C-alpha cells in the first residue's frame, strides 16, 4: 500500500475519532453518557441507525455475495421499510412516553422484573456474540494486506473503538457515525465509478449489464415460495419484516440510537429515512459486486481470492500442482475474456442465434474456470482440512487493493474500518447500557450515586469490549460472516419480538405466561436450528424469526387464557 | 383524571405532508415502486 493511501486512511479515521472525542468532552453523568442529552436531529439519527446496521461485513461480504449469487440478496431488506412504519406507529410513542433508557425497561412496567431481565439477557448473549464478528471482519483484511498476525490486528481495531466509546458514550457513537456514514457512501460510489471505468475500452455500463443479465446475475426478485430458499420475496416480506421489527424495535444497539433524538418527530423521521434509503443503498453495494464480477470476466481474477490459503499450499508438497492449476486458470481466463467480448458484440446485434451461441460459450468458459478453482479448493483442504475455502468475502478487497487508484485504496479501507468501528461502537454502547440499567442498577447494586453508575458504565463498556475481542479471536469458525451475524440474530430476535408483541398488543396476558411462553419458544427455535444444522430437514434461517415470535405469542396466550378455552371446548364436546 | 405530564406523542405534526399517515403512505408507496422497478430491471436483463 502506498504512503498516500496510508495517509488517507489514517487521516480519515483519526479525524473522525478526534472529532468524536472533542464533541463529547462535556459528558459527565449517566444520563448524558447513555442517552446523549437527547438533542440529536433526524439526519444524525438516520445516518447513525444506518451506520449501526451497516457493519464492515456489509461492505466486505455483500459485493462478494453479488459476485457469487447475483442481486437476489437485496430482497433480504424488503421487510425493512414495513418494519420502520410499524415501529413509528406503535413502538416509538410508547418509548418516548415512558422516557426509558432501554427497550427492556419498558417490559418491567408492563410485566415484571423477571421478563425485563430475561429479555435483556437474551439481547446480551446474541449481541455479545455478534460484536466479536463485527471486529473480526476488517481484521482479516488488514492482517492479509499488512502481513500482521490476526490477533494483533483484532486487538488494535478493538482498542480504538473501545477508546472513543468509553470516552464519549452514546453521543460519541452517534456523532462519529454521521461522519463515518458520509465517508462510507462516498467511498462506495467512488468504487462503483472506478470499476465501470476499468472495463475494457468499448465496453460500457449497458454492455456490462447485458452480460451479467445473460449469466443470470441480475435477478433481484424471486417470487417462488420455498421455505428452503434463503432469499425470496416471501421470506423477505414475512421473515424479514419480523427480523427488522425485532432488530430495530427491541435491539438496544438500535433503540439507543433513536432514543437520543431531540423529539419523537426527529426519531420517527430518522427511522423513515432508513425506510426509504436502506434498500437502494444495499442495492448499490450489490451492484458494485456485480460490476466487479463483470470486470473479472474480462480481467483474470486470482484462482482463489484468499491469499493466506494459497500461501499455505505454496509452502506444501502441493505447490507444483498449484502452479499448474494457476497456469490453466490463466489460460481459461483468457478464453473467458474472449467469450465475454464475443457476447457483448453479439448482444449489440439483433441476431438471437448468435447471442445464444455466445452466451453458451461464455457460460461454458466460466464453468471451466470454476472447475479449476474447485480443484484449488481441494488442494487447500488437502493441506489444511480445517481451512475455509469459501472466498467470497475476499473478492471486493482483492479488487480494491489491486485495481483502485492510489488514494482511493486508502479511502476504501477507511470505509471498511469506519463501518466496523461504527457498528461495534453502537454494540458496545448498547451492551454496557443494558448491563448497567437492566441488570446492575436494577437488580445487583441499587441506590448508588450518579458518579458510581457513570464509572460503572465506562467499566462495563471496557468489559464488553474485551468480550467482543475474545469472540473476534474465534470468529473464523464461521464460513460466511454476514450470514453468521444474521443467523445468530435470528436465533433470539423472534422470541424477543414475541415478548414485545405480547406487551404491546395483548394487555390481558401477564408476566408468568409470557415468561413460560418465551422460554419454551426459545428452546424450540434452538432445537429447530440444530435440526436444520444436522440436515434433518431444510429451513431458511429467516423463518426462525417468525417461528420464535408467533410461538411466544401463542404459548403466552395459551398459558394465560387459552388453556381454559381449550378445556372448556373439550368439556363441551365431552 | 388525566396525567398532565403525559401528552399524546401522536399529536406531534410532521414538518411535511400534513400528517404522519401521509408520510407513512409515501414511504410504503415508494417501497412498492422500488420493488416494481427491481422487477422490471430483472426482466429487462433476463
Amino acid at each position: 500500500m502506498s504512503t498516500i493511501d496510508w495517509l488517507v486512511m489514517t487521516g480519515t479515521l483519526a479525524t473522525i475519532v478526534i472529532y468524536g472525542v472533542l464533541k463529547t468532552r462535556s459528558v459527565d453523568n449517566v444520563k448524558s453518557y447513555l442517552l446523549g442529552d437527547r438533542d440529536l436531529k433526524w439526519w444524525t439519527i438516520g445516518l447513525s441507525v444506518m451506520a449501526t446496521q451497516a457493519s464492515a461485513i456489509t461492505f466486505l461480504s455483500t459485493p462478494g455475495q453479488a459476485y457469487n449469487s447475483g442481486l437476489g440478496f437485496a430482497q433480504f431488506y424488503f421487510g425493512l421499510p414495513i418494519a420502520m412504519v410499524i415501529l413509528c406507529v406503535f413502538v416509538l410513542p410508547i418509548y418516548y412516553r415512558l422516557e426509558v433508557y432501554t427497550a427492556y425497561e419498558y417490559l418491567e412496567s408492563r410485566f415484571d422484573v423477571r421478563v425485563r431481565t430475561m429479555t435483556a439477557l437474551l439481547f446480551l448473549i446474541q449481541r455479545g456474540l455478534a460484536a466479536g464478528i463485527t471486529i473480526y471482519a476488517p481484521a482479516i483484511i488488514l492482517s492479509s494486506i499488512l502481513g500482521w498476525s490476526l490477533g494483533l490486528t483484532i486487538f488494535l481495531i478493538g482498542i480504538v473503538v473501545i477508546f472513543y466509546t468509553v470516552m464519549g458514550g452514546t453521543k460519541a457513537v452517534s456523532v462519529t457515525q454521521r461522519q463515518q456514514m458520509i465517508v462510507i457512501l462516498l467511498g462506495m460510489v467512488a468504487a462503483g465509478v472506478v470499476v465501470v471505468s476499468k472495463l475494457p475500452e468499448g465496453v460500457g455500463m449497458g454492455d456490462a449489464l447485458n452480460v451479467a443479465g445473460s449469466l443470470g446475475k441480475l435477478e433481484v426478485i424471486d417470487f417462488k415460495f420455498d421455505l428452503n430458499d434463503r432469499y425470496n420475496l416471501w421470506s423477505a416480506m414475512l421473515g424479514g419484516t419480523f427480523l427488522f421489527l425485532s432488530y430495530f424495535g427491541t435491539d438496544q444497539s438500535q433503540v439507543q440510537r433513536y432514543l437520543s433524538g431531540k423529539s419523537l418527530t426527529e426519531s420517527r423521521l430518522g427511522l423513515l429515512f432508513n425506510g426509504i434509503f436502506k434498500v437502494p443503498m444495499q442495492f448499490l453495494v450489490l451492484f458494485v459486486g456485480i460490476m466487479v464480477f463483470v470486470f473479472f470476466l474480462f480481467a483474470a481474477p486470482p484462482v482463489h481470492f484468499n491469499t493466506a490459503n494459497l500461501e499455505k499450499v505454496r509452502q506444501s508438497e502441493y505447490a507444483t500442482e498449484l502452479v499448474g492449476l494457476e497456469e490453466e486458470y490463466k489460460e481459461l481466463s483468457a478464453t473467458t475474456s474472449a467469450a465475454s467480448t464475443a457476447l457483448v458484440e453479439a448482444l449489440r446485434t439483433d441476431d438471437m442465434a448468435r447471442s445464444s451461441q455466445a452466451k453458451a460459450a461464455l457460460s461454458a468458459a466460466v464453468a471451466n474456470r470454476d472447475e479449476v478453482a474447485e480443484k484449488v479448493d481441494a488442494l487447500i483442504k488437502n493441506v489444511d482440512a480445517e481451512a475455509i475455502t469459501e472466498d467470497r468475502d475476499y473478492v471486493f478487497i482483492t479488487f480494491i487493493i489491486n485495481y483502485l487508484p492510489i488514494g482511493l485504496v486508502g479511502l476504501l479501507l477507511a470505509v471498511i474500518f469506519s463501518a466496523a468501528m461504527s457498528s461495534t461502537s453502537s454494540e458496545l454502547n448498547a451492551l454496557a447500557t443494558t448491563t448497567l440499567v437492566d441488570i446492575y442498577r436494577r437488580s445487583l447494586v441499587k441506590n448508588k450515586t450518579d458518579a458510581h453508575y457513570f464509572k460503572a458504565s465506562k467499566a462495563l463498556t471496557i468489559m464488553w469490549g474485551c468480550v467482543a475481542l475474545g469472540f473476534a479471536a474465534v470468529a473464523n469458525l464461521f464460513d460466511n460472516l454476514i450470514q453468521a451475524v444474521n443467523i445468530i440474530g435470528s436465533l433470539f430476535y423472534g422470541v424477543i419480538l414475541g415478548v414485545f408483541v405480547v406487551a404491546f398488543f395483548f394487555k390481558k396476558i401477564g408476566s408468568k405466561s409470557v415468561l413460560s411462553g418465551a422460554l419454551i419458544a426459545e428452546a424450540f427455535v434452538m432445537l429447530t436450528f440444530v435440526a436444520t444444522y444436522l440436515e434433518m430437514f431444510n429451513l431458511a434461517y429467516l423463518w426462525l424469526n417468525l417461528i420464535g415470535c408467533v410461538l411466544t405469542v401463542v404459548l403466552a396466550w395459551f398459558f394465560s387464557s387459552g388453556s381454559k378455552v381449550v378445556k372448556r371446548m373439550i368439556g363441551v364436546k365431552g | 383524571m388525566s396525567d398532565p405530564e403525559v401528552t399524546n406523542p401522536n399529536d406531534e405534526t410532521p414538518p411535511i405532508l400534513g400528517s404522519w399517515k401521509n408520510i407513512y403512505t409515501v414511504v410504503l408507496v415508494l417501497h412498492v415502486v422500488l420493488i416494481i422497478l427491481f422487477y422490471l430491471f430483472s426482466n429487462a436483463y433476463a
Side-chain angles (χ1 to χ4, degrees), chain A residues 430-452:
Chain A
L431 286 163
T433 304
T434 305
T435 313
L436 181 95
V437 175
D438 297 305
I439 311 284
Y440 185 80
R441 190 170 70 181
R442 176 63 189 82
S443 303
L444 300 177
V445 182
K446 298 178 183 177
N447 306 320
K448 292 280 182 182
T449 60
D450 189 79
H452 172 87

Side-chain angles (χ1 to χ4, degrees), chain A residues 73-338:
Chain A
F73 183 64
Q75 294 171 108
F76 175 77
Y77 296 92
F78 282 3
L80 191 145
I82 302 165
M84 290 306 186
V85 169
I86 294 172
L87 291 172
C88 286
V89 173
F90 296 105
V91 179
L92 264 67
I94 294 175
Y95 288 162
Y96 261 85
R97 196 164 54 229
L98 296 176
E99 294 189 346
V100 291
Y101 279 69
T102 72
Y104 320 110
E105 211 177 337
Y106 157 70
L107 292 176
E108 184 172 0
S109 64
R110 171 64 181 84
F111 299 113
D112 61 21
V113 68
R114 291 176 305 170
V115 179
R116 173 183 179 177
T117 308
M118 178 203 67
T119 321
L121 286 174
L122 286 179
F123 164 73
L124 291 174
I125 293 168
Q126 68 95 356
R127 191 43 65 190
L129 289 170
I133 296 175
T134 51
I135 294 179
Y136 173 77
I140 53 172
I141 311 161
L142 248 200
S143 61
S144 72
I145 293 169
L146 303 174
W148 294 357
S149 82
L150 186 60
L152 174 71
T153 319
I154 288 170
F155 178 76
L156 286 175
I157 295 166
I159 287 297
V160 175
V161 177
I162 292 168
F163 167 70
Y164 75 79
T165 311
V166 169
M167 293 294 285
T170 200
K171 200 166 185 177
V173 173
S174 294
V175 295
T176 49
Q177 279 178 329
R178 189 178 55 201
Q179 320 299 330
Q180 285 159 342
M181 204 60 219
I182 291 167
V183 170
I184 287 168
L185 291 174
L186 286 176
M188 290 310 290
V189 170
V193 170
V194 170
V195 68
V196 173
S197 73
K198 290 270 176 186
L199 291 171
E201 209 176 316
V203 177
M205 170 92 110
D207 297 319
L209 288 172
N210 280 328
V211 170
S214 297
L215 296 178
K217 295 284 183 184
L218 300 184
E219 288 166 18
V220 188
I221 313 273
D222 181 0
F223 287 106
K224 200 172 68 187
F225 184 84
D226 180 0
L227 286 174
N228 185 32
D229 187 3
R230 279 184 170 165
Y231 307 115
N232 61 45
L233 190 68
W234 313 112
S235 68
M237 293 302 239
L238 290 169
T241 302
F242 276 83
L243 172 67
F244 291 121
L245 273 176
S246 190
Y247 175 54
F248 289 101
T250 71
D251 187 312
Q252 184 60 22
S253 63
Q254 284 293 1
V255 173
Q256 199 152 356
R257 308 274 59 81
Y258 55 77
L259 283 185
S260 311
K262 194 176 181 182
S263 65
L264 176 62
T265 296
E266 301 291 342
S267 297
R268 274 176 166 159
L269 291 175
L271 282 189
L272 295 174
F273 169 85
N274 273 271
I276 294 172
F277 291 106
K278 178 68 185 180
V279 179
M281 192 199 84
Q282 285 302 137
F283 182 79
L284 168 75
V285 178
L286 285 164
F287 192 78
V288 171
I290 292 292
M291 288 297 115
V292 172
F293 169 78
V294 176
F295 172 80
F296 278 131
L297 287 177
F298 292 98
V303 69
H304 182 83
F305 283 96
N306 185 347
T307 48
N309 278 346
L310 286 181
E311 204 47 47
K312 280 182 199 166
V313 182
R314 281 189 221 291
Q315 304 299 326
S316 75
E317 59 194 286
Y318 300 100
T320 322
E321 211 173 320
L322 175 64
V323 172
L325 286 171
E326 282 183 318
E327 282 301 317
E328 193 183 342
Y329 194 79
K330 206 179 272 182
E331 283 166 24
L332 287 171
S333 290
T335 312
T336 308
S337 178

